[in-house]
Each structure stands twice: as C-alpha cells, then as structure tokens.
Amino acid sequence: MGHAVMTHTPKQPREIHPHRLSASIAAQVNELLDQADQYADNRELAASAILHRQAIVLTGIRPPASGELARCTCTNCYCAAIFDAAKARTHLDGTIELVQCETCADEHRLTGDE
C-alpha cells in the first residue's frame, strides 16, 4: 500500500520585528546586517550577500528574491522591521538616508520635509 507524502511547510513571514526574536538572535542579526552594509559600501558584494543569507536563516523569514534585507529606520514609530530590501522606501533627512518598510510608508510616509 502506497503512502501519500505531503509536505507541510510553515508559512514564513516576509518581515520580522527584532523584539520578536530572542535578544541574542536579534543582536547577531544586527551585527550581520551591519557587517553586510560595510562590505556593500566597499563593493564586496559577495561577502555582503553571504551575511544577508546568514541573517535570513537566523530570523526565519522568507528569503527575498533580491537576497538582501533592510531595516526600517522610521523615525515616526521606530518599528525596526527587517524585510526585503527591494520593498524599502527611502528618503534623505539632510544627509542621512532613512528607510521605511511598506507598512510605515503607507501609514506615515516620510519625505524629508518633516
């Protein structure tokens, strides 16, 4: 008698908020993303991609098609969501680039004129 095999993949979130992670995992993810940013700034994109992949595995979020994560730095609510960088909305506040996740951009889009 044959058995049907069904795979049940738990639905992975598309974003995660660091406060939902353990403190040690959140710290590791932040460190990985900081390092990835430094490598990207130096045009070492392969190293940056490896660090993003490690952060994706640690958070358990659905791997974005871009392979790159972003952190929401919205100054209206400080949500700090970690999400697909391709969905980031950015603006300049003086010389500082701020990043908003889709939710923050929909709820209180920043323009730099605040």
Side-chain angles (χ1 to χ4, degrees):
M1 177 178 200
H3 297 328
V5 176
M6 297 186 67
T7 58
H8 297 281
T9 306
K11 187 169 177 126
Q12 292 175 292
R14 293 180 189 263
E15 69 177 40
I16 194 154
H17 294 265
H19 70 275
R20 294 191 176 153
L21 300 170
S22 71
S24 64
I25 296 293
Q28 289 177 41
V29 169
N30 276 327
E31 179 65 26
L32 287 169
L33 293 177
D34 287 344
Q35 289 176 5
D37 289 345
Q38 290 172 0
Y39 279 114
D41 288 346
N42 292 321
R43 305 283 189 247
E44 297 179 50
L45 302 182
S48 178
I50 290 168
L51 293 167
H52 277 276
R53 181 69 190 147
Q54 290 174 353
I56 289 165
V57 170
L58 275 176
T59 59
I61 68 173
R62 182 181 308 171
S66 69
E68 188 176 347
L69 298 174
R71 291 176 279 192
C72 185
T73 57
C74 180
T75 55
N76 278 355
C77 65
Y78 304 98
C79 86
I82 298 169
F83 62 101
D84 180 354
K87 298 185 183 291
R89 305 214 180 120
T90 62
H91 74 278
L92 288 177
D93 184 9
T95 59
I96 299 171
E97 182 180 55
L98 297 175
V99 177
Q100 286 187 301
C101 64
E102 289 180 295
T103 301
C104 286
D106 289 343
E107 292 179 3
H108 42 262
R109 176 114 177 136
L110 299 176
T111 61
D113 296 326
E114 289 75 33

